[in-house]
């Protein structure tokens, strides 16, 4: 039976939540949009009058679509060129989903999205549904066709894996801007020492170019190595301008709830560097320069007020 306008409206009301779930599960905004659209096609083909709880039905369909996607994604990422990083989302993007609790904000942080790549598909699904959206284990068990006790065990295991790899720190937008300003001031001195003082001893720098933009295949590790890399990264050169297509402006903002440096050229976001900050200093830089993972950020940037750049024609 064709959908009524009421049926379409019910799905559209659920779309923001479905997109937020899918993004956390997949780490990709474009893949999340596709998964939600596939869910709509299944909703369109179903006899919706027989569906007692549409929210539960839609969540189950979406989650299983994402689980299938995660399974195939693991195989694809084995052939991915260089490091694979999630697709960052700028502050205000509705796909970031609920941010009322520390757990919800943390579940979509760039650091945690990266850590979740270590989890199995089931672990990731249980963690996201429980930690970010507060689903009871009974409902998660029904969604994943598992027992409730299995879901509880999977959740505790997944939470431990994530907790073991992260340092929990909440940063507001004003503090994030100050951190980025301090970092950029140090990075543009041309000297390594000011940068080293901002970093933890075990700091890392990772870049994702997807084979389309040059990015080191292996992470830089250690404060000195990272500081040396950052000093070179912010040093203007003809080679950089040739690769990027010009000299981008650099802004301070937040992405996935954390401090971020955004490089923008002619209205197009060409790079987002997410900073992971601890009380001891900056512990990680995750730099997304793969153009396929910056389309949504560019659209969001064009529709938002982002203030003045910290650096004009930076490279």
């Amino acid at each position: 039976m064709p959908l009524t306008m009421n049926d379409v409206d019910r799905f559209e009301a659920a779309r923001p939540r479905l997109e937020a779930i899918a993004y956390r599960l997949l780490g990709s905004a474009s893949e999340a949009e596709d998964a939600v659209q596939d869910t709509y096609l299944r909703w369109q083909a179903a006899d919706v009058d027989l569906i007692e709880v549409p929210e539960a039905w839609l969540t189950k369909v979406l989650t299983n679509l994402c689980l299938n996607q995660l399974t195939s994604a693991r195989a694809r990422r084995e052939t991915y060129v260089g490091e694979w990083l999630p697709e960052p989302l700028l502050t205000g993007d509705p796909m970031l989903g609920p941010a009322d609790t520390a757990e919800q904000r943390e579940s979509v942080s760039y650091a945690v999205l990266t850590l979740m790549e270590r989890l199995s598909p089931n672990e990731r699904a249980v963690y996201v549904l429980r930690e970010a959206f507060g689903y009871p284990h009974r409902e998660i068990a029904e969604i994943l066709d598992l027992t409730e006790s299995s879901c509880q065990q999977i959740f505790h295991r997944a939470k431990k894996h994530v907790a073991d790899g992260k340092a929990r720190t909440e940063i507001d937008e004003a503090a994030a801007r100050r951190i980025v300003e301090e970092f950029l001031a140090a990075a543009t001195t041309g000297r390594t020492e000011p940068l080293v003082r901002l970093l933890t001893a075990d700091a890392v720098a990772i870049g994702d170019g997807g084979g389309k933009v040059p990015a080191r295949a292996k992470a830089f590790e250690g404060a000195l190595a990272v500081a040396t890399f950052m000093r070179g990264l912010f040093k203007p050169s003809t080679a950089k301008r040739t690769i990027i297509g010009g000299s981008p402006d650099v802004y301070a903002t937040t992405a996935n709830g954390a401090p971020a440096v955004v490089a923008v050229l002619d209205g197009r976001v060409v790079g987002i560097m997410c900073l992971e900050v601890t009380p001891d200093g900056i512990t990680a830089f995750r730099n997304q320069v793969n153009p396929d993972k910056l389309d949504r950020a560019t659209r969001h940037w064009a529709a938002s007020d982002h203030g003045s750049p910290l650096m004009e024609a930076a490279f």
Side-chain angles (χ1 to χ4, degrees):
M1 294 177 61
L3 294 180
T4 66
M5 284 304 299
N6 184 54
D7 296 330
V8 174
D9 288 344
R10 281 199 291 178
F11 183 88
E12 291 305 319
R15 184 184 289 273
R17 180 180 58 83
L18 296 175
E19 287 189 343
I21 292 173
Y23 173 67
R24 283 167 167 82
L25 287 175
L26 299 172
S28 165
S30 58
E31 290 180 4
E33 289 172 342
D34 290 344
V36 172
Q37 187 58 30
D38 285 345
T39 303
Y40 176 75
L41 294 176
R42 283 158 175 74
W43 174 252
Q44 193 176 42
D47 188 343
V48 297
D49 291 335
L50 299 179
I51 299 173
E52 295 181 5
V53 186
E55 178 183 292
W57 188 92
L58 290 169
T59 303
K60 182 180 178 71
V61 170
L62 174 80
T63 301
N64 282 285
L65 285 168
C66 289
L67 287 175
N68 291 338
Q69 181 76 359
L70 282 171
T71 301
S72 62
R74 284 176 174 249
R76 292 200 310 276
R77 286 172 196 169
E78 288 179 1
T79 59
Y80 193 82
V81 178
E83 296 276 356
W84 186 96
L85 290 174
E87 181 176 345
L89 297 182
L90 299 176
T91 295
D93 192 313
M95 194 176 277
L96 289 169
D100 300 325
T101 68
E103 289 76 17
Q104 288 173 336
R105 292 189 293 273
E106 191 173 74
S107 71
V108 79
S109 73
Y110 208 59
V112 168
L113 286 176
T114 304
L115 286 168
M116 282 200 288
E117 287 297 305
R118 305 176 183 178
L119 305 181
S120 70
N122 270 352
E123 285 175 337
R124 189 162 183 162
V126 172
Y127 180 84
V128 166
L129 292 173
R130 179 64 180 168
E131 190 79 347
F133 295 90
Y135 279 85
H137 286 294
R138 174 182 52 79
E139 291 185 25
I140 299 174
E142 292 173 359
I143 290 169
L144 299 176
D145 294 324
L146 299 170
T147 66
E148 187 172 347
S149 62
S150 292
C151 278
Q152 291 172 335
Q153 292 170 6
I154 290 171
F155 174 69
H156 290 305
R157 187 166 64 243
K159 192 168 184 178
K160 184 179 185 305
H161 285 327
V162 172
D164 285 347
K166 66 178 173 61
R168 181 168 174 168
T169 305
E170 292 214 24
I171 302 288
D172 62 31
E173 197 159 349
R177 183 178 178 87
R178 288 195 300 272
I179 291 166
V180 171
E181 287 175 347
E182 190 176 3
F183 160 68
L184 288 176
T188 53
T189 62
R191 296 185 293 118
T192 304
E193 295 80 5
L195 274 168
V196 171
R197 289 196 291 269
L198 295 178
L199 310 180
T200 61
D202 59 351
V204 297
I206 306 167
D208 178 351
K212 300 186 176 183
V213 174
R216 182 179 164 92
K218 188 177 179 181
F220 290 92
E221 298 180 353
L224 182 58
V226 171
T228 302
F229 166 66
M230 289 297 168
R231 185 191 64 191
L233 182 64
F234 285 93
K235 183 178 181 180
S237 74
T238 302
K240 291 193 191 75
R241 290 191 290 273
T242 300
I243 291 168
I244 299 171
S247 297
D249 295 333
V250 171
Y251 295 79
T253 186
T254 52
N256 295 76
V261 177
V262 178
V264 181
L265 179 65
D266 298 329
R268 177 172 54 92
V269 175
V270 294
I272 299 177
M273 180 186 292
C274 297
L275 282 62
E276 185 178 349
V277 180
T278 74
D280 298 321
I282 302 171
T283 194
F285 298 88
R286 297 181 178 92
N287 193 19
Q288 183 57 260
V289 292
N290 183 345
D292 293 343
K293 298 182 183 181
L294 296 171
D295 281 345
R296 186 178 177 96
T298 294
R299 296 197 303 270
H300 183 75
W301 188 262
S304 63
D305 179 14
H306 35 72
S308 301
L310 288 180
M311 298 169 59
E312 294 183 350
F315 303 149

